[in-house]
Amino acid sequence: MNGGQERIKGEYLRHMQIIEHAESLAPLHACALVPTMGALHAGHASLIQRAVSDGRPVVVSLFVNPTQFAVGEDFSKYPRTLEADRELCQTAGAAAIFIPSVQAMYPRGVEAANAEAATLQLPLVATQPKLEDAQRPTHFCGVCQVVAKLFDMCQPAAAYFGEKDFQQLRVIQDMVRREGARWKELVVHACPTIRENDGLAMSSRNRYLQANQRTNAQGLSRALMFAQESARAGMDIVAAENEMRRVLTQHQLEVDYAVIRAPETLLPIEKFQPGSRALIAARLEGVRLIDNASCSGA
Ligand code: PAF
């Protein structure tokens, strides 16, 4: 890029507000909010573009939330790429990015915030399905805590979440339904998962994968395709789940779960039904990947 182009890009970036303090969000109340932890990719860009196309000013929050990571998870090494994130938000058409500090979000400290998160009454879909809730028992406490804080601060009229984290999406939808009056007329929009050309669902954690692990990571999308074919063929759920596991292990993936569930409750079902959801979590040498897809019966 030459000097002139640099200057034009600099001018362009200046038009997007960078907000660090919640008080400065007041003029943006009733915005469209896209909550993120940064390390943005094309999946996030599609959320922002969808929000922009719905017509409200879009605020993207960038906050790596410590309370949703358990001890030993990747909080400290979670990728932080603020400059690239800023550019992606600007290009996608965001009106502002909100980058609060940990101190601003949790003034009494992270330990106190963790203790507070543990007391939250979570929606049933955060505790009953035994999916992410079983693998990461404190995770949804932290997610509900931070998302509720972001909603309180931004007072959005709309919020956009990817289907890639399907249980998280369902948890947030139920939290918003339950809290009704707290975030007046807030609508939660579910946006489709964006995939790489090889089928791998886009995720900030994909950058942890070595080049030679990428081929095996395709096992997730292949197992999901298998679940979709099983649904069309009217296969038995247990047999379809066994086959999903077989596909995953063939790709050297260690399976946390590979299941087909009811779309609303995420509880086990006996037969495929409209919107049944196949959900997978599996590990490739320490890198944990999750994915899901709708698979309705024939
Ligand atoms: O999906 C994410 O990136 C995070 O869980 C969220 C919703 C931004 C809360 O920190």
Side-chain angles (χ1 to χ4, degrees):
M1 203 179 287
N2 64 34
Q5 284 168 325
E6 286 281 9
R7 191 179 44 75
I8 291 166
K9 195 174 112 192
E11 291 291 328
Y12 187 49
L13 284 175
R14 268 197 281 283
H15 292 136
M16 185 179 70
Q17 285 185 68
I18 298 172
I19 298 178
E20 290 178 25
H21 303 289
E23 307 80 71
S24 312
L25 288 164
L28 285 157
H29 285 177
C31 65
L33 176 66
V34 181
T36 80
M37 296 204 300
L40 304 182
H41 49 68
H44 295 109
S46 81
L47 293 179
I48 301 168
Q49 285 156 354
R50 161 73 202 283
V52 169
S53 72
D54 285 349
R56 295 180 181 278
V58 175
V59 176
V60 182
S61 62
L62 305 169
F63 179 66
V64 187
N65 173 36
T67 70
Q68 68 190 73
F69 291 79
V71 175
E73 289 186 352
D74 56 350
F75 173 67
S76 53
K77 75 164 189 175
Y78 198 84
R80 276 120 169 129
T81 57
L82 184 56
E83 272 318 297
D85 293 348
R86 206 165 86 131
E87 212 171 310
L88 182 145
C89 292
Q90 174 75 52
T91 307
I97 55 175
F98 176 45
I99 40 173
S101 64
V102 172
Q103 162 70 20
M105 291 300 273
Y106 302 121
R108 294 194 304 120
V110 173
E111 232 172 89
N114 280 330
E116 181 199 290
T119 66
L120 294 178
Q121 280 278 333
L122 301 186
L124 294 180
V125 71
T127 56
Q128 288 195 330
K130 302 298 167 236
L131 300 171
E132 289 306 288
D133 48 315
Q135 301 294 323
R136 306 180 69 191
T138 58
H139 176 65
F140 288 126
C141 298
V143 169
C144 286
Q145 179 184 45
V146 76
V147 172
K149 269 182 194 291
L150 290 168
F151 287 167
D152 286 343
M153 290 170 166
C154 298
Q155 293 294 319
Y160 295 77
F161 293 88
E163 287 187 344
K164 155 83 172 35
D165 295 297
F166 196 74
Q167 191 176 6
Q168 168 175 281
L169 166 69
R170 288 288 310 106
V171 169
I172 291 163
Q173 285 172 328
D174 282 6
M175 178 178 83
V176 169
R177 259 177 225 153
R178 197 186 57 192
E179 301 279 327
R182 181 164 166 196
W183 306 299
K184 282 173 248 84
E185 292 170 36
L186 169 60
V187 178
V188 174
H189 296 275
C191 302
T193 302
I194 304 297
R195 296 181 181 280
E196 307 276 4
N197 289 338
D198 63 5
L200 182 64
M202 293 219 174
S203 162
S204 306
R205 290 186 169 102
N206 289 352
R207 61 192 85 195
Y208 299 154
L209 291 170
Q210 309 291 332
N212 62 351
Q213 295 176 320
R214 282 295 297 252
T215 315
N216 283 333
Q218 290 170 28
L220 279 93
S221 57
R222 290 195 180 147
L224 291 174
M225 274 190 263
F226 190 89
Q228 290 172 322
E229 279 162 27
S230 307
R232 281 193 286 273
M235 202 176 189
D236 175 66
I237 295 263
V238 176
E241 289 177 345
N242 287 339
E243 283 301 304
M244 285 165 67
R245 285 180 168 272
R246 191 184 55 76
V247 174
L248 292 165
T249 44
Q250 255 177 3
H251 287 78
Q252 319 299 327
L253 284 148
E254 279 174 62
V255 182
D256 283 347
Y257 56 80
V259 293
I260 295 159
R261 294 292 177 90
E264 281 286 314
T265 60
L266 301 186
L267 291 175
I269 45 177
E270 284 177 5
K271 283 184 172 150
F272 283 103
Q273 52 180 249
S276 307
R277 206 88 198 173
L279 302 115
I280 295 174
R283 293 166 203 266
L284 255 183
E285 296 160 53
V287 183
R288 189 163 186 275
L289 301 168
I290 64 171
D291 201 352
N292 69 87
S294 166
C295 48
S296 298

